[in-house]
């Protein structure tokens, strides 16, 4: 920047430009808000079908997102211009102060143009007026002035040129539409530019190391791991890496799949080292990052990019190299499995557009291929090699994407997976060891369903008791219950797949408020929490099938206990001992509902134990799951608000454990009411604890008043409802076991 430009230039036009951009940004903010809250929100809630459910909804979403990006870009431009103007004004002020100081030593600077200048004296001593004393200076003063002005001009030049550069880069960063990069000032934009340059350089180095993966020494492997983990969440690094990959003579998409296959295989000895595992996980994160919306290879308007679509096609089709060629890539289920295993690795979170497109690609392959999984379809290997396995793992980490993919109001994917799909190894998966069940495709499908129906990844956070769910989540949950709500009792092996039981426990726990209302009431309207219209006769068989997994059953029981405790805590202490106290009638109704719900759960538990017959080892193992869950390490870890609630849960679970039956014979099975009382005893103990916490000891005797609120309306009526629950539970399960 020239000296005169900084010293005397007119910044008024820049100021006017900033004013114009500020005005534009405000108008775009209004448009963006309207597009998001009106256009997009209404489209998402609309019950569209056919083309409207896909094309129209995607178009509306894309249009709304464009307004968001336009506002973001305008705000970034405004911020950069404002920051640059303030910096230039600051440098001008700094320059003026420097020159004022120099004048006191008879020094100034003269502009030579093209950013050049020289230092000279203002008045040469030989030409000074007679009697005038000229301030003195030294050579050092001249050097210091020259260096200071040079430094100021350099900073101003950098501010001006870098602002122009990042503004152009911001506008040119997308071929169509607007950039979504948000910058608060020029410095942040410049820093992002420098980081992008370094990330590009690192990506090229990493791609070069990947190309020699088979022959890397320890130091090179360490460097590759360092580069990939450092750049995991950089869209620039990830995108450049994906484009520059070359492995065994095949580049980009083919190179990526061949690399993934190599890293999954574990080398020559078939064992994966920690470094190889970390490299695989980092490669998965890089692919996820490169294909997310803010990345160069990301989706356009909700549709995967051309690069991503080619990746899917390559995975499905493979390449035309002969099997003995080092770069041969098999297609079909093998190629798709390579891709989805990579997607399921680590903790990568993939964009919904790629997850959905991958699911569509696999579904298209298996429905248009005569024998899609020939060789693994009839044995347990199929449950492990199923390409849906890795996809469902990845899907479970993006609940919003899973919800959209399985939403029965938008598509038939849920019906396909629950009813129509011929799962590889499905005929033998219930007979597999538990560790194989827990690593099966159907198990990960259950995780994806849990994420879709609850709104959070399985096991990531404790459930909210009770939770509310949106219509899409409720529709998915209802669809799962309906699919497994008939003909299961007495034949759990032929009903719900073993791999789904754990996730079913998670789903039922998350919907425990609704479950309580369904089991405890004869509802004629949808449930209060999630608007479910499911009935007991459909819900109980699902709980019975799920209860084959003792942990899953215990998880649901734990959630119900927590829900009951929280609701009981809402009532005033007098309602427990005085039938005329405010809320006493509602408390009585709730206690009846709780007994009914726990009675049906105990009927389910009785059927599980009865089916085991005299197999004490299995019975003890199942009960051990309950004991471990209740007193050792609760699966849910449900947070409880308040000591009273915690004490009610503690005494309730302890009482339940003390009354658990260890064996159910034919006579017991036919007369459950004479032998089962654990659930009722649990509620009574919780009621007693509530009275102890809410009323002074001088009133505790009112619990034994007969007739009285506690003795008759809570305990007595509660026992009747519990027995009704036992009877109803057996009836709703259909054909008794055995």
């Amino acid at each position: 920047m020239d000296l005169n430009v900084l010293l005397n230039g007119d910044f008024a036009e820049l100021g006017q430009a900033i004013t114009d951009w500020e005005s534009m940004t405000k108008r775009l903010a209004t448009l963006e808000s309207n597009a998001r809250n009106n256009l997009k929100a209404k489209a998402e809630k609309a019950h569209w079908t056919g083309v409207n459910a896909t094309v129209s909804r995607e178009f509306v979403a894309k249009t709304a997102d464009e307004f968001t990006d336009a506002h973001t870009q305008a705000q970034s431009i405004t911020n950069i211009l404002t920051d640059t103007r303030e910096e230039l004004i600051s440098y001008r002020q700094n320059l003026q102060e420097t020159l004022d100081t120099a004048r006191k030593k008879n020094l100034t600077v003269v502009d030579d143009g093209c950013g050049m200048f020289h230092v000279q004296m203002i008045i040469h001593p030989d030409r000074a007026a007679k009697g005038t004393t000229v301030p003195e200076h030294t050579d050092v003063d001249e050097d210091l002035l020259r260096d200071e002005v040079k430094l100021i001009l350099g900073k101003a030049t950098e501010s001006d040129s870098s602002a122009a550069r990042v503004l152009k880069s911001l506008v040119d960063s997308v071929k169509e539409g607007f950039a979504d990069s948000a910058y608060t000032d020029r410095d942040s934009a410049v820093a992002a530019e420098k980081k992008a340059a370094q990330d590009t350089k690192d990506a090229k180095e990493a791609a070069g190391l990947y190309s020699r993966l088979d022959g890397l020494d320890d130091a090179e492997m360490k460097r590759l791991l360092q580069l990939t983990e450092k750049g995991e969440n950089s869209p620039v690094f990830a995108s450049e890496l994906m484009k520059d990959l070359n492995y065994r003579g095949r580049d980009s998409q083919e190179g990526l799949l061949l690399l993934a296959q190599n890293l999954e295989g574990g080398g020559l000895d078939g064992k994966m080292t920690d470094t190889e595992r970390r490299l695989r996980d980092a490669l998965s994160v890089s692919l996820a990052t490169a294909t997310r919306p803010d990345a160069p290879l990301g989706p356009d308007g909700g549709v995967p990019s051309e690069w991503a679509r080619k990746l899917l096609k390559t995975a499905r089709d493979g390449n035309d190299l002969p099997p003995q060629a080092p770069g041969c890539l098999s297609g079909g289920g093998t190629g798709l499995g390579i891709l989805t295993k990579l997607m399921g690795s680590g903790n990568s979170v993939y964009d919904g557009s790629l997850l959905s497109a991958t699911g569509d690609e696999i579904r298209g392959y298996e429905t248009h291929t005569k024998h899609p999984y020939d060789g693994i379809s009839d044995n347990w290997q199929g449950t492990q090699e199923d390409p849906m396995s890795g996809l469902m793992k990845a899907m479970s980490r993006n609940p919003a994407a899973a919800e959209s993919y399985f939403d029965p109001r938008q598509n038939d994917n849920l019906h396909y997976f629950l009813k129509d799909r011929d799962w590889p190894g499905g005929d033998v998966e219930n007979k597999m060891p538990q560790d194989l069940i827990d690593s099966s495709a159907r198990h990960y499908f259950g995780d994806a369903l849990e994420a879709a129906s609850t709104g959070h990844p399985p096991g990531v956070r404790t459930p909210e008791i009770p939770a509310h769910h949106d219509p899409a989540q409720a529709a998915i949950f209802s669809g799962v219950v309906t699919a497994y709500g008939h003909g299961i009792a007495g034949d759990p092996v032929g009903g719900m797949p073993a791999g789904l039981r754990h996730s079913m426990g998670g789903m039922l726990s998350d919907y425990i408020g609704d479950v309580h209302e369904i089991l405890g009431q004869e509802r004629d309207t949808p449930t209060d929490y999630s608007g479910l219209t499911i009935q007991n006769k459909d819900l109980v068989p699902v709980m019975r099938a799920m209860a084959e997994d003792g942990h899953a059953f215990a998880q649901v029981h734990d959630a119900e206990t927590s829900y009951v405790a929280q609701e009981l805590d809402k009532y005033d202490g007098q309602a427990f001992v005085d039938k005329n106290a405010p809320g006493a009638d509602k408390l009585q109704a709730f206690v009846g509902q709780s007994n009914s719900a726990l009675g049906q759960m105990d009927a389910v538990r009785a059927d599980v134990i009865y089916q085991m017959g005299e197999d004490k080892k299995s019975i003890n193992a199942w009960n051990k799951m309950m004991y471990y869950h209740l007193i050792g390490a609760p699966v849910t870890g449900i947070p409880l608000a308040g000591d009273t609630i915690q004490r009610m849960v503690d005494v309730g679970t302890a009482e339940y454990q003390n009354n658990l039956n260890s064996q159910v014979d034919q006579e017991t099975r036919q007369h459950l009411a004479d032998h089962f009382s654990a659930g009722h005893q649990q509620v009574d103990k919780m009621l007693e604890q509530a009275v102890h916490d809410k009323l002074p000891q001088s009133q505790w005797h009112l619990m034994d008043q007969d007739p009285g609120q506690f003795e008759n309306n809570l305990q007595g009526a509660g026992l009747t409802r519990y027995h009704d629950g036992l009877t109803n539970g057996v009836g709703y399960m259909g054909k008794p076991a055995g």
Side-chain angles (χ1 to χ4, degrees):
M1 178 174 284
D2 290 348
L3 178 69
N4 283 338
V5 172
L6 179 59
L7 197 58
N8 304 308
D10 185 2
F11 293 155
E13 290 187 7
L14 180 55
Q16 183 58 49
I18 293 172
T19 300
D20 291 343
W21 274 105
E22 287 175 339
S23 178
M24 173 69 74
T25 302
K26 291 178 180 178
R27 290 197 295 270
L28 285 172
T30 301
L31 290 172
E32 188 269 338
S33 178
N34 290 336
R36 183 184 67 253
N37 298 327
N38 295 326
L39 189 66
K40 187 175 183 179
K42 290 180 179 179
E44 289 176 343
K45 294 179 180 178
H47 291 257
W48 285 340
T49 59
V51 175
N52 278 334
T54 54
V55 178
S56 298
R57 182 178 275 112
E58 287 182 3
F59 175 77
V60 170
K62 179 180 179 181
T63 302
D65 290 343
E66 282 294 315
F67 278 108
T68 299
D69 291 346
H71 173 255
T72 300
Q73 181 170 317
Q75 185 65 66
S76 292
I77 292 174
T78 302
N79 293 341
I80 293 170
L81 289 175
T82 301
D83 186 51
T84 303
R85 181 174 183 271
E86 291 174 353
E87 285 183 346
L88 291 176
I89 291 174
S90 174
Y91 293 140
R92 168 183 286 180
Q93 182 178 355
N94 195 356
L95 178 60
Q96 288 173 335
E97 291 172 351
T98 299
L99 294 180
D100 288 344
T101 300
R103 287 190 185 95
K104 296 176 182 179
K105 295 184 178 182
N106 194 33
L107 292 175
T108 189
V109 290
V110 177
D111 188 2
D112 295 331
C114 299
M116 305 296 290
F117 67 92
H118 68 270
V119 176
Q120 69 178 31
M121 290 183 288
I122 300 174
I123 301 175
H124 195 280
D126 295 342
R127 294 189 292 274
K130 187 176 180 180
T132 300
T133 302
V134 178
E136 296 182 357
H137 60 268
T138 65
D139 292 343
V140 173
D141 291 328
E142 291 185 29
D143 292 340
L144 289 174
L145 175 59
R146 182 182 302 107
D147 292 343
E148 181 66 19
V149 172
K150 184 178 180 180
L151 178 63
I152 295 171
L153 288 179
K155 290 180 178 180
T157 300
E158 171 61 20
S159 179
D160 182 54
S161 60
S162 63
R165 189 171 64 249
V166 295
L167 286 171
K168 185 177 185 303
S169 175
L170 180 64
V171 174
D172 293 344
S173 62
V174 290
K175 296 180 180 179
E176 299 177 357
F178 303 92
D180 60 0
S181 301
Y183 300 123
T184 57
D185 51 33
R186 184 196 62 83
D187 286 344
S188 63
V190 172
E193 183 186 41
K194 291 180 178 178
K195 184 178 185 304
Q198 184 61 52
D199 286 346
T200 299
K201 181 180 178 181
D202 289 347
K204 292 186 180 300
E205 182 183 353
L209 290 169
Y210 265 130
S211 69
R212 301 186 292 106
L213 182 65
D214 298 335
L216 296 181
D217 57 32
D218 290 344
E220 290 173 322
M221 285 286 282
K222 184 177 180 181
R223 174 59 177 167
L224 175 57
L225 184 60
Q226 179 187 41
L227 288 169
T228 53
E229 291 187 339
K230 173 188 173 186
E232 279 180 346
N233 294 307
S234 165
V236 173
F237 174 88
S239 298
E240 290 298 323
L241 177 63
M242 292 298 109
K243 290 186 292 186
D244 291 342
L245 279 176
N246 186 295
Y247 183 65
R248 294 182 177 173
R250 316 304 290 182
D251 59 11
S252 201
Q253 291 90 347
E254 289 184 54
L256 170 65
L257 293 171
L258 288 168
L259 267 175
Q261 185 177 35
N262 176 291
L263 291 171
E264 188 68 35
L268 296 177
D269 59 0
K271 296 181 181 179
M272 185 177 295
T273 66
D274 179 64
T275 299
E276 289 170 333
R277 183 176 293 103
R278 288 170 64 184
L279 278 175
R280 179 201 61 189
D281 293 349
L283 189 64
S284 179
V285 176
S286 292
L287 176 59
T289 303
T291 52
R292 71 191 193 194
D294 62 341
L297 301 181
D300 181 12
V303 179
S305 64
E306 181 181 349
W307 186 92
R309 293 197 301 272
K310 185 177 179 182
L311 174 64
L312 294 176
K313 187 177 186 303
T314 302
R316 178 171 175 172
D317 296 344
N319 57 29
D320 55 0
L321 293 180
Q324 64 271 21
C328 174
L329 180 67
S330 299
T334 300
L336 291 168
I338 293 171
L339 174 60
T340 58
K341 282 182 181 179
L342 177 65
M343 295 174 70
S345 299
N347 297 305
S348 322
V349 178
Y350 283 80
D351 182 67
S353 64
L354 182 59
L355 292 171
S356 179
T358 304
D360 292 345
E361 192 73 42
I362 299 173
R363 181 175 171 180
Y365 161 73
E366 59 192 27
T367 55
H368 293 91
T369 304
K370 191 171 183 180
H371 299 293
Y373 304 114
D374 195 23
I376 63 170
S377 60
D378 299 325
N379 54 60
W380 66 262
Q381 186 180 355
T383 69
Q384 312 297 306
E385 298 300 322
D386 185 343
M388 285 296 182
S389 179
L391 176 64
M392 291 299 129
K393 286 178 70 175
M395 192 84 74
S396 70
R397 296 195 290 266
N398 188 337
E403 178 181 326
S404 177
Y405 186 71
F406 290 118
D407 186 354
R409 307 173 309 162
Q410 296 187 38
N411 54 64
D412 69 340
N413 288 329
L414 184 65
H415 183 273
Y416 174 74
F417 282 97
L418 291 174
K419 293 290 188 181
D420 296 341
R421 188 171 194 253
D422 186 10
W423 289 79
D427 293 337
V428 298
E429 64 178 301
N430 282 25
K431 302 174 185 177
M432 298 190 306
Q434 190 62 44
D435 62 329
L436 292 181
I437 291 175
D438 291 342
S439 59
S440 67
R442 195 100 66 156
H443 172 87
Y444 296 123
F445 169 54
D447 284 348
L449 287 179
E450 186 175 349
S453 61
T454 65
H456 59 81
V460 171
R461 66 175 177 82
T462 55
E464 178 183 346
I465 303 292
H468 295 263
H469 302 89
D470 65 39
Q473 294 167 354
I476 294 167
F477 178 77
S478 297
V480 177
V481 170
T482 300
Y484 295 113
H486 301 283
I488 293 177
D491 184 25
V493 173
M496 181 182 294
L500 290 182
R501 293 168 186 157
H502 176 79
S503 296
M504 196 71 241
M507 285 184 269
L508 288 167
S509 298
D510 210 81
Y511 281 79
I512 200 63
D514 304 274
V515 168
H516 176 94
E517 291 181 348
I518 294 169
L519 297 179
Q521 301 176 343
E522 293 292 334
R523 294 191 66 91
D524 298 313
T525 58
T527 57
D528 296 334
Y529 297 102
S530 305
L532 302 182
T533 56
I534 299 169
Q535 298 180 343
N536 304 50
K537 64 183 180 63
D538 290 328
L539 184 59
V540 172
V542 173
M543 296 181 69
R544 170 61 184 88
M546 170 214 68
E548 288 291 303
D549 183 326
H551 280 295
F553 179 82
Q555 187 176 5
V556 178
H557 188 277
D558 189 17
E560 170 65 9
T561 301
S562 300
Y563 175 72
V564 171
Q566 290 184 173
E567 292 300 305
L568 289 178
D569 189 53
K570 295 178 181 178
Y571 293 94
D572 182 77
Q574 289 299 319
F576 290 83
V577 295
D578 182 357
K579 66 179 181 180
N580 297 314
D585 54 341
K586 292 183 178 179
L587 172 61
Q588 181 180 342
F590 179 76
V591 171
Q593 295 166 19
S594 302
N595 272 281
S596 176
L598 287 167
Q600 290 169 81
M601 290 186 184
D602 276 351
V604 167
R605 182 171 61 85
D607 198 69
V608 173
I609 297 175
Y610 175 74
Q611 187 193 44
M612 295 176 182
E614 297 181 359
D615 184 1
K616 293 184 179 180
K617 182 178 180 181
S618 296
I619 294 173
N620 290 336
W622 195 91
N623 276 333
K624 185 178 180 181
M625 294 181 188
M626 286 292 297
Y627 297 150
Y628 178 79
H629 179 83
L630 294 172
I631 64 174
V635 175
T636 54
I638 298 168
L640 302 172
D643 293 340
T644 298
I645 298 175
Q646 183 64 64
R647 282 192 288 270
M648 280 192 280
V649 170
D650 290 343
V651 300
T653 51
E655 186 70 14
Y656 187 74
Q657 174 209 345
N658 292 336
N659 289 283
L660 283 179
N661 300 60
S662 61
Q663 191 169 350
V664 178
D665 56 21
Q666 183 70 27
E667 194 275 336
T668 304
R669 180 66 177 79
Q670 293 177 354
H671 302 91
L672 285 180
D674 295 335
H675 301 276
F676 265 60
S677 63
H680 172 66
Q681 296 294 333
Q682 172 186 344
V683 176
D684 278 1
K685 205 68 176 178
M686 295 171 74
L687 291 171
E688 180 183 336
Q689 184 64 49
V691 171
H692 287 172
D693 280 346
K694 292 174 177 291
L695 293 174
Q697 188 172 354
S698 60
Q699 296 187 40
W700 290 0
H701 72 278
L702 296 176
M703 289 189 289
D704 297 320
Q705 190 175 26
D706 189 11
Q709 168 74 344
F710 194 93
E711 180 82 18
N712 297 81
N713 297 337
L714 298 183
Q715 288 185 314
L719 180 59
T720 300
R721 289 296 303 277
Y722 176 76
H723 287 162
D724 290 342
L726 286 173
T727 302
N728 290 337
V730 173
Y732 292 141
M733 279 187 286
K735 175 188 174 184

